[in-house]
Amino acid sequence: MESEPAQSANRAVTLRDVAKLAGVSIATASKALNNQPQVRAETRARVIRAAEQLSFSPNTLAQGLITQRSGTVGLLTSDLEGRFSIPILMGAEDAFGSDQTSVFLCDARGDAVREKHHLRALLSRRVDGLIVVGARPDARASLGRDLPVPVIYAYSPSADPDDLSLVTDNVGGGRLAVDHLIRHGRRRIAHITGDETYGAAQDRARGALERLGEEGLALAGEQVWFGSWSEAWGRGATRMVLQRTPDVDAIFAGSDEIARGVLDTLHQENLDVPGKVAVIGFDNWNILAANARPPLSTVDMNLEQLGRLAAQRLFAAIDGTLEGGVETVGCRLVIRESS
Amino acid sequence: MESEPAQSANRAVTLRDVAKLAGVSIATASKALNNQPQVRAETRARVIRAAEQLSFSPNTLAQGLITQRSGTVGLLTSDLEGRFSIPILMGAEDAFGSDQTSVFLCDARGDAVREKHHLRALLSRRVDGLIVVGARPDARASLGRDLPVPVIYAYSPSADPDDLSLVTDNVGGGRLAVDHLIRHGRRRIAHITGDETYGAAQDRARGALERLGEEGLALAGEQVWFGSWSEAWGRGATRMVLQRTPDVDAIFAGSDEIARGVLDTLHQENLDVPGKVAVIGFDNWNILAANARPPLSTVDMNLEQLGRLAAQRLFAAIDGTLEGGVETVGCRLVIRESS
C-alpha cells in the first residue's frame, strides 16, 4: 500500500534522530521514552521535547525499539545431546513469534577454548543477548560482567550471584513426584537417583523427603539410592531395593533413564507396573518416557517455559537493566500409565 | 611478546596485497596459490611472482586464506531432537579446529516461514556457507540457486540435482548389518523396520535383501516388516515374526528404537540374546544402544564424518566452485553384545 507523503515523513523519524536532537545516546533516549528510572528528570524532559518536535509517535517509537534489536539471541551450550538446550531454544524463539527472533545455538562441548571462540563469533555477529546453558544443572563459571550484551544463565546457574540465572525448581519437582504417589495410595516409596555430586540429585531427593515427612512416612529401601544417571544403575538399584524392601509399592526415579532400568528389573521380577509397583521418572524425555512399557509417568522441567522467560528477561534488559539473582521455574507432572 | 620490526612488516602482507600487485581478484590469487585448475598458467605465474616479491610466505598465505572467511557456518535444521544435526555440527566444526570455525544452528522445525526467517538472519550475519539438515532422510525442497553463499544439503538430499547433497549410504548400511549376522553363522534373519514411505527404510531393506541373496538366503518372517519408527512397533512385529518363524536366529532392526522393542519382546519370550537370537539396530543412538540389555550392536551413519565433509566442501566452494550431485557417506558397524 502506498502511504501519504506526510506519513512517510513521520515514518522516517527514528529514535536515533530523537537522541541526536536531544543530545543524548540512543540508549538514554529509549529509557527516557520508556519511563525507566535511570534517567534524570531534566534529560527525560529534553528527550520528550525532541520526540514531540519530530512528531515521533508512540507507534513509530515501538518500531524504533524493535529495529534497535537485531532479533537474534545466541545460545551457548555444553549440552552435547541438545536434550536440554533444544527445548530452551524453542521456548526463547516462541517468546517473540516465529518471524521475529532467531536463536543461534553454538555447542562449546564443555571446552573453554571453544566457548571463548563461539562467544567471540556470536558477539561479532551482533546478537542482542546470550543464553548460556550448561551440561549439568550445577553452578558454572560466569562469562564475566564486561560483555556488550546481557547474558542469562539457564538450567545451570552462574557461580556469580550478580548474574541472572533461571533454573529448575528441583526441590519442588521431587515434592510433586512423591505427592502424586502418596495421593494414589502409595506408602512404601523408594527413591533411586543419579550422581550425588549433582545439586539436582540432592534437591530432588530433598523435595521427596520433605513431602514424605509431612505424611509421617519414611523412605522405603532405607536410604536415597544415589548412583549414576543410567539404565544400568536403575536396574541394579531396583534389585537392591527389592531385597531390602520386598513390599515396596512405588519407585521415584531421578531421571527417565534410571526409570527405564527400574521398569526392566520389575518386569524381570514379574512385578506388575503399576498394579504392584508404581514408577515415576524425571525429565519427560519423550523418546524414553513415551515409549516405555508401560508409558512412563514423569516430571517435566518446563524447559520451554524457561527458554521463554530467558528471552523475555533478555529483551527487557536490552531496553533497561538486568537484575541479578536466581529465579526458579516450576515443574509439572506428566501422568502416563506407570503410576 | 613484542616482535621485530622486520617480522611485523612481513606479517602485514596479505593475500589482498598479492592480488593487487598481480592485478587479479583475491579469489583468483587464492586459486593460483592453491594450484587450483581454473586459473590460466600465465595468471598463476604472475601471482606467484607477486607473492615472492612481497615475501608472502606459505605460512602467511594460510593466514590470509583464513582471514578471507568469517569462519562461520550456518546449520539450518528441522531435526527437532538435534539427534542428527548435533553430530553433523560437531563434525563440521572439527574439520577446521576448535578455535577457527563456529557453526550456528537454527531450528526451523519444518516450518517454511521460520526457515525463511532463519535463513535471512544467518545471511545477514555473514555466514560463509550453509548446511541444511532435514528432519528425515528424504529429498527436501532446494533453497534455490540465488543465495550469496554456498549451500550443502546433509542427511536429507535436495530435490534439485544441481545442488550438492551429502547423504548416508543406507543400502550399504543394510548390507553391513546382514553381512555381520551371516558371518556369525546366522541364517534365519528377519528385518523389522520403520515407515515404508521413508527412502531410508527402503534402502536399508534393499541392502539387506541383496546381501542375503548373495548367500542364497531368503528373509525369515516371509517379508520386510515395515511399520513405524518406534519401540512399540519393534515389540509387536517381533511377536508376529516369532509366530511365523519360531526358529528365527537374528533380527535386523531398521533403527535403535525398534531394536529396543525387539529386545523387550525377546526377553518376555525368554529367548536369550544373542545366544538364541542375535539383534542389530541402526543409528548408534548412544542413549538407546549403549544402555540396552544387552548393549546393542548397531550401524553408525558416521554423521560426524558427513559434517566434516560438508565443511570441507563448503570451504572449497568459497575459494572455487561447488559441483552439484549426491555423494554418499558409508556406514560402520558398532559391535556390542547383542550380536
Side-chain angles (χ1 to χ4, degrees):
Chain A
M1 242 171 45
E2 293 289 315
S3 55
E4 299 294 315
Q7 287 181 319
S8 285
N10 272 351
R11 267 195 206 130
V13 175
T14 66
L15 188 63
R16 182 182 298 275
D17 303 320
V18 175
K20 200 175 164 193
L21 183 62
V24 298
S25 70
I26 294 177
T28 303
S30 162
K31 284 175 199 161
L33 292 170
N34 273 308
N35 275 324
Q36 286 182 16
Q38 311 96 318
V39 183
R40 280 190 302 150
E42 183 220 354
T43 310
R44 188 188 312 280
R46 202 161 72 234
V47 171
I48 289 172
R49 257 199 321 275
E52 285 169 353
Q53 215 171 316
L54 294 170
S55 303
F56 190 73
S57 72
N59 209 27
T60 53
L61 170 63
Q63 285 168 9
L65 287 176
I66 287 164
T67 53
Q68 251 191 286
R69 298 181 193 136
S70 70
T72 309
V73 168
L75 192 152
L76 202 52
T77 180
S78 279
D79 160 31
L80 295 187
E81 279 159 338
R83 178 173 161 189
F84 306 113
S85 349
I86 301 273
I88 291 172
L89 178 159
M90 290 189 176
E93 286 189 343
D94 286 346
F96 286 90
S98 67
D99 55 350
Q100 289 183 29
T101 303
S102 281
V103 177
F104 291 170
L105 179 148
C106 283
D107 195 337
R109 314 185 203 178
D111 170 349
V113 172
R114 207 179 280 275
E115 180 169 284
K116 215 165 156 183
H117 176 66
H118 286 325
L119 180 62
R120 233 176 5 237
L122 287 166
L123 291 176
S124 76
R125 296 306 179 292
R126 296 172 292 110
V127 294
D128 290 320
L130 290 167
I131 300 173
V132 178
V133 179
R136 51 184 272 180
D138 289 301
R140 53 148 288 149
S142 174
L143 293 181
R145 315 284 304 162
D146 54 352
L147 295 173
V149 297
V151 181
I152 289 179
Y153 297 81
Y155 186 67
S156 312
S158 165
D160 181 345
D162 289 338
D163 289 326
L164 176 59
S165 301
L166 304 180
V167 300
T168 298
D169 177 9
N170 282 302
V171 176
R175 289 185 64 92
L176 262 184
V178 167
D179 181 69
H180 167 73
L181 295 170
I182 288 173
R183 280 193 290 113
H184 285 76
R186 308 295 166 147
R187 289 292 174 273
R188 293 175 299 281
I189 301 171
H191 183 36
I192 298 172
T193 191
D195 187 334
E196 65 183 325
T197 68
Y198 278 60
Q202 296 290 346
D203 288 346
R204 290 168 197 172
R206 186 149 60 87
L209 287 167
E210 275 178 18
R211 186 67 193 88
L212 284 168
E214 288 166 11
E215 300 290 317
L217 295 172
L219 209 50
E222 296 170 28
Q223 60 173 88
V224 176
W225 293 83
F226 290 106
S228 71
W229 301 104
S230 70
E231 286 191 60
W233 168 243
R235 291 188 192 107
T238 301
R239 221 166 279 288
M240 290 188 278
V241 166
L242 288 172
Q243 264 165 14
R244 291 217 194 168
T245 321
D247 62 348
V248 62
D249 64 13
I251 296 178
F252 165 35
S255 78
D256 291 343
E257 283 177 83
I258 293 172
R260 287 294 299 256
V262 170
L263 286 176
D264 197 21
T265 293
L266 293 174
H267 292 324
Q268 283 184 279
E269 298 298 320
N270 287 312
L271 293 166
D272 183 58
V273 178
K276 185 85 180 154
V277 184
V279 177
I280 187 164
F282 207 104
D283 284 345
N284 193 27
W285 196 8
N286 207 52
I287 200 77
L288 292 177
N291 297 304
R293 174 168 64 88
L296 184 69
S297 296
T298 186
V299 176
D300 186 301
M301 292 189 277
N302 279 323
L303 293 174
E304 300 205 8
Q305 191 193 322
L306 200 148
R308 269 197 298 280
L309 196 61
Q312 285 162 1
R313 294 278 183 281
L314 269 185
F315 285 121
I318 294 161
D319 300 327
T321 53
L322 187 65
E323 299 277 332
V326 177
E327 283 185 52
T328 57
V329 172
C331 298
R332 68 187 162 92
L333 282 175
V334 176
I335 302 306
R336 295 196 180 90
E337 296 166 34
S338 68
S339 65
Chain B
M1 241 171 47
E2 293 287 315
S3 55
E4 300 293 316
Q7 287 183 319
S8 284
N10 272 353
R11 269 200 204 126
V13 174
T14 67
L15 189 63
R16 182 182 299 275
D17 303 320
V18 176
K20 202 177 162 189
L21 182 62
V24 299
S25 70
I26 294 177
T28 302
S30 161
K31 284 174 202 161
L33 292 170
N34 272 310
N35 275 324
Q36 286 181 15
Q38 309 97 319
V39 184
R40 279 188 302 152
E42 184 222 354
T43 310
R44 190 188 312 279
R46 202 162 72 236
V47 171
I48 290 171
R49 258 198 320 276
E52 285 170 352
Q53 216 171 315
L54 294 169
S55 303
F56 190 73
S57 71
N59 209 27
T60 55
L61 170 62
Q63 285 167 10
L65 287 175
I66 286 162
T67 54
Q68 249 191 288
R69 303 179 189 134
S70 71
T72 309
V73 168
L75 191 152
L76 201 53
T77 179
S78 279
D79 160 32
L80 296 187
E81 279 158 339
R83 177 175 163 190
F84 306 113
S85 349
I86 301 271
I88 291 173
L89 177 159
M90 290 190 177
E93 287 189 344
D94 287 344
F96 286 89
S98 68
D99 55 349
Q100 289 185 29
T101 302
S102 281
V103 177
F104 291 171
L105 179 149
C106 284
D107 193 338
R109 312 185 205 179
D111 170 348
V113 172
R114 206 178 281 274
E115 179 168 284
K116 215 164 154 184
H117 175 66
H118 286 326
L119 181 62
R120 230 173 11 234
L122 288 166
L123 291 176
S124 75
R125 294 308 179 293
R126 296 172 290 112
V127 293
D128 290 320
L130 289 167
I131 300 173
V132 178
V133 179
R136 50 184 274 180
D138 290 301
R140 53 147 288 149
S142 174
L143 293 180
R145 313 286 303 164
D146 54 353
L147 295 173
V149 297
V151 181
I152 288 179
Y153 298 81
Y155 186 66
S156 313
S158 165
D160 182 345
D162 289 338
D163 289 326
L164 176 59
S165 301
L166 303 180
V167 301
T168 298
D169 176 9
N170 282 301
V171 175
R175 289 185 64 91
L176 263 185
V178 167
D179 180 69
H180 167 71
L181 295 170
I182 288 172
R183 280 193 289 115
H184 285 76
R186 308 295 165 147
R187 289 292 175 273
R188 294 174 300 280
I189 300 171
H191 182 36
I192 298 173
T193 190
D195 187 333
E196 65 182 324
T197 69
Y198 278 60
Q202 296 290 346
D203 288 347
R204 291 168 197 173
R206 187 149 60 86
L209 287 166
E210 275 178 18
R211 186 67 194 88
L212 284 168
E214 288 166 10
E215 300 291 316
L217 295 172
L219 208 51
E222 298 170 27
Q223 61 174 88
V224 176
W225 294 83
F226 290 106
S228 70
W229 301 104
S230 70
E231 285 191 60
W233 168 243
R235 290 187 192 107
T238 302
R239 222 166 277 290
M240 291 187 278
V241 165
L242 289 172
Q243 265 166 12
R244 291 216 193 169
T245 319
D247 62 349
V248 63
D249 64 14
I251 297 178
F252 165 34
S255 77
D256 291 343
E257 282 177 84
I258 292 171
R260 288 293 300 255
V262 170
L263 287 176
D264 198 20
T265 293
L266 293 173
H267 292 324
Q268 282 184 280
E269 299 298 319
N270 289 312
L271 293 166
D272 183 58
V273 178
K276 184 83 181 155
V277 184
V279 177
I280 186 164
F282 207 104
D283 285 346
N284 194 24
W285 197 9
N286 206 52
I287 200 77
L288 292 177
N291 296 303
R293 175 167 63 89
L296 184 69
S297 296
T298 186
V299 177
D300 187 302
M301 292 189 278
N302 279 324
L303 293 174
E304 300 204 9
Q305 191 192 323
L306 200 149
R308 269 196 299 279
L309 196 60
Q312 284 161 1
R313 293 279 182 282
L314 269 185
F315 286 121
I318 293 161
D319 300 326
T321 53
L322 187 65
E323 299 278 331
V326 176
E327 283 185 53
T328 56
V329 172
C331 300
R332 68 187 162 93
L333 282 174
V334 177
I335 302 306
R336 295 197 180 89
E337 297 166 33
S338 68
S339 65

